[in-house]
Amino acid sequence: MTKRTATTILNIELAAIQTGQAPEWVELFPAGPDIAARDGRRFTLPDPAAVIAAFHENKGPLAIDYEHAQAHRAPKGEEAPAAGWIADMEIRDGAVWGKVEWTERAADMVAAREYRFLSPEFLHDKAGRVHAIVGAGLVNRPAFVMTALSRQEDTDHPTPKETKMDLTALCRTLGLDTGASLDQILAAVDRLKEDKTTALAAAEKPDLERFVPRADYDAQKTKAEEATTALAAFKADQTKADADAAIEAAVKAGKIAPASRDHYRALCARDGGLDDFKKLVGTLPVIGDPSDLGEQQPGDKSAALTEGQRSICAAMGVSEEDYAKSLAAERT
């Protein structure tokens, strides 16, 4: 999967906990899934939990610098000092928030409103799907409308203090203890996703026994099997009949000896044997006069007479069998 790093795209304005102090928790990414930047680019945040999981897999804090110096100045060998460190992350109403350990200098600059916005650096694919946050920079040109890092206190409408998200109701819904950790909650959500995938797969391939009576299903299955067996038997009989016809035609044509019928029947019984036999017959020479024995066996003496000899028998009033015997006696 191709990943790209985006910087200075999401410039997030974050509110101070109270006037004159840099906030401990800052918004790193707005709630998705669709996120539009002021410069026209669009991104999606389909799975905030995956972004947090990627942070934990990194097993270390992520740097916040000034004006994305890590991306632009550090590669040139120039100084790119940290303004703070993202030490933890959590989800709040679909948005990704980070716990920041500010440097003294950066905290003073934020409190003095010298920097008011935060721009995260993140990895995304070609489709714009966000996969991980790799850092952030203090900036003053916002691309997104987000919570301010530092803003003047409105005495008529004071900024409320941050409160820790109450996950009690969520824990009850997931069947967890009210004191469950964030990792346990995320694991329960992952299980719900897996259950959803399993349910959708089952819906695509339902159990027929739940919709069709078993007896009816078995009866139809038996009929199908019987029909298949009958069709196979019909095909076998048809193949045998075609083979016998081809063999008899070859006998009458004088291409094969009548006594070799069984040999050629065995050949035709093989897979593709009938086609092989027909090709063979086409290459064989005539080894005897064309036979007019038909279905008669060679032992039937009357069948050995030619049409001319039969005409003689009819004219003389002699039986064909007696005439055949006399011819046989003459040959001996």
Side-chain angles (χ1 to χ4, degrees):
M1 174 178 63
T2 303
K3 291 186 178 180
R4 301 177 177 180
T5 303
T7 60
T8 68
I9 299 300
L10 309 180
N11 300 293
I12 305 168
E13 193 177 6
L14 300 171
I17 295 177
Q18 59 187 20
T19 304
Q21 291 187 6
E24 181 182 18
W25 283 88
V26 298
E27 189 175 11
L28 297 172
F29 237 99
D34 296 323
I35 303 172
R38 288 175 176 169
D39 62 3
R41 297 195 221 182
R42 304 187 70 85
F43 299 90
T44 59
L45 183 64
D47 192 355
V51 172
I52 292 181
F55 168 77
H56 290 301
E57 289 177 3
N58 184 61
K59 301 184 184 302
L62 301 178
I64 297 176
D65 57 25
Y66 301 93
E67 305 289 352
H68 293 296
Q70 290 289 332
H72 303 297
R73 295 174 61 87
K76 302 177 184 178
E78 300 175 359
E79 290 187 0
W85 299 91
I86 301 172
D88 197 4
M89 288 187 189
E90 66 180 32
I91 301 173
R92 299 185 182 182
D93 296 329
V96 178
W97 285 68
K99 184 178 182 181
V100 180
E101 297 173 354
W102 297 103
T103 65
E104 182 177 355
R105 174 191 174 194
D108 290 342
M109 296 177 77
V110 171
R113 302 179 69 201
E114 294 178 16
Y115 276 110
R116 294 189 59 187
F117 303 97
L118 196 66
S119 173
E121 296 181 30
F122 55 93
L123 298 180
H124 66 90
D125 58 23
K126 292 181 179 180
R129 291 185 292 265
V130 178
H131 296 284
I133 295 175
V134 296
L138 286 172
V139 295
N140 278 324
R141 292 186 179 181
F144 275 164
V145 178
M146 301 297 297
T147 310
L149 261 178
S150 175
R151 64 186 181 190
Q152 187 174 10
E153 187 75 22
D154 187 337
T155 54
D156 294 328
H157 301 89
T159 301
K161 292 186 178 182
E162 287 183 290
T163 58
K164 187 174 180 61
M165 182 183 293
D166 185 3
L167 301 178
T168 303
L170 179 58
C171 289
R172 283 199 300 266
T173 302
L174 295 173
L176 301 174
D177 294 335
T178 55
S181 67
L182 181 58
D183 288 340
Q184 290 173 324
I185 293 173
L186 293 177
V189 172
D190 288 339
R191 287 195 295 271
L192 284 177
K193 291 180 179 178
E194 293 175 359
D195 292 343
K196 177 183 177 182
T197 301
T198 301
L200 291 175
E204 292 178 358
K205 296 182 179 179
D207 184 0
L208 292 180
E209 292 187 8
R210 297 182 58 187
F211 303 97
V212 179
R214 185 68 190 188
D216 293 345
Y217 172 77
D218 290 340
Q220 293 299 325
K221 181 179 179 182
T222 300
K223 288 183 179 180
E225 291 173 349
E226 291 175 348
T228 301
T229 302
L231 179 60
F234 172 78
K235 289 182 178 179
D237 292 342
Q238 187 64 46
T239 300
K240 183 177 182 301
D242 292 344
D244 288 343
I247 291 171
E248 292 306 317
V251 170
K252 290 181 179 180
K255 293 292 189 78
I256 64 173
S260 63
R261 285 186 177 93
D262 289 342
H263 169 75
Y264 289 112
R265 285 193 183 100
L267 172 63
C268 292
R270 299 174 184 173
D271 188 18
L274 180 56
D275 291 336
D276 293 339
F277 173 73
K278 290 179 179 179
K279 293 177 183 178
L280 174 63
V281 170
T283 63
L284 291 177
V286 175
I287 60 175
D289 294 334
S291 170
D292 57 359
L293 292 176
E295 298 300 321
Q296 303 285 344
Q297 295 299 319
D300 186 349
K301 300 299 183 181
S302 64
L305 300 179
T306 66
E307 289 296 330
Q309 291 168 334
R310 288 174 180 166
S311 298
I312 293 173
C313 291
M316 296 177 62
V318 178
S319 69
E320 293 182 3
E321 184 178 356
D322 290 342
Y323 185 74
K325 287 179 180 180
S326 65
L327 290 178
E330 291 176 3
R331 294 191 184 97
T332 59

